[in-house]
Amino acid sequence: MKIRRLQLDEMPPYDLLLLADPSRELVETYISEGECYVAEENDNILGVFVIVPLTKETMEIKNIAVCEDKHGQGIGKKLLQEAIGVAKSNGYDNVEIGTGNSSIGQLALYQKCGFSISGVIKDFFIHHYDEVIMENGIQCKDMIRLRLEIQ
Ligand code: ACO
C-alpha cells in the first residue's frame, strides 16, 4: 500500500470522504483549501485524508477515512502518521483534529497516536448539521478538539 497526494485532475474519493463527514458542501470547501492524500493498493483507493492550514503554526486534519471492509487493519494509523509527516515537513508546530463526542473509536485512535484533548466546541454538530447524528448509541453534539505538538 502506498500513500500519495491526489493529483489536481483526479476526482476526490467522495464515497470515503462522506464516511467521515456527511456534509458534501463542507467536504468540497476544505478540499479546495487543503491537500488530499489517498492510500492506494493495486489501483484501489483504501483510505483518504485531507489536511489544511489552520493558522501559521497549525495544520488541521479535516477528514480521515478508510474503506469499511478495511477497518481495523492499521490503515487509519498509517494515514494519521503520514498527515503528521506532511505538517512536519511543511514546518508547522502542531496538528489538530476534531471529532464528535460519540466517536469512541476515533477518540481512541487519535490518543493512541499522541493527540491530547485541547478543547470542546459545545453543540457544534447540532448547529452545523441538519440531521441528528447518532453513533454508538450516543447523540453526536459536541466537537472534541485534539492537538499534537510536532516540533
Ligand atoms: N477502544 C479502544 N481502541 C479502539 C477502539 C475502541 N472502541 N476503536 C478503535 N480503537 C483503536 C484500535 O484498537 C486501533 O489501535 P491499535 O492499533 O493500537 O490496536 C486503532 O483504534 C484503529 O486503528 P486503525 O486500524 O489504524 O484504524 P482504521 O484503519 O480502522 O481507521 C478510521 C480508523 C479512519 C476512524 C475508520 O474507522 C473510518 O474510516 N471511520 C469512518 C470515518 C470516520 O469516522 N472518520 C473520522 C471522522 S473525524 C475526522 O475526519 C477529522
Side-chain angles (χ1 to χ4, degrees):
M1 188 188 77
K2 66 169 184 187
I3 300 177
R4 63 169 181 89
R5 190 168 173 186
L6 199 74
Q7 307 292 310
L8 286 175
D9 60 355
E10 283 182 282
M11 179 71 147
Y14 281 109
D15 50 341
L16 277 177
L17 292 159
L18 292 168
L19 281 180
D21 185 340
S23 167
R24 171 120 185 182
E25 201 184 324
L26 286 181
V27 170
E28 281 173 353
T29 305
Y30 53 67
I31 280 192
S32 68
E33 293 165 353
E35 299 176 10
C36 184
Y37 286 76
V38 291
E40 197 175 54
E41 193 170 59
N42 303 327
D43 287 337
N44 294 318
I45 292 180
L46 307 183
V48 65
F49 70 83
V50 181
I51 190 162
V52 305
L54 184 65
T55 65
K56 271 200 319 223
E57 297 85 24
T58 304
M59 288 196 103
E60 176 171 358
I61 301 168
K62 284 282 193 183
N63 191 308
I64 180 163
V66 170
C67 282
E68 279 174 306
D69 61 344
K70 301 282 180 191
H71 284 181
Q73 297 180 19
I75 300 171
K77 206 176 237 185
K78 287 202 182 101
L79 286 166
L80 212 49
Q81 283 160 353
E82 181 77 19
I84 294 164
V86 169
K88 233 180 216 174
S89 60
N90 282 296
Y92 286 84
D93 296 333
N94 311 287
V95 182
E96 288 195 12
I97 193 160
T99 194
N101 57 284
S102 51
S103 299
I104 306 297
Q106 290 78 346
L107 287 165
L109 170 62
Y110 305 154
Q111 291 176 88
K112 282 179 174 181
C113 288
F115 286 79
S116 297
I117 293 176
S118 56
V120 177
I121 307 176
K122 290 291 287 176
D123 294 334
F124 177 89
F125 292 96
I126 292 178
H127 294 147
H128 290 84
Y129 292 83
D130 293 333
E131 69 278 28
V132 171
I133 306 170
M134 294 295 296
E135 238 183 337
N136 301 305
I138 304 165
Q139 186 178 353
C140 181
K141 296 180 185 168
D142 308 319
M143 183 188 280
I144 311 295
R145 302 286 309 172
L146 298 103
R147 179 184 298 148
L148 175 71
E149 289 179 17
I150 51 175
Q151 302 292 352

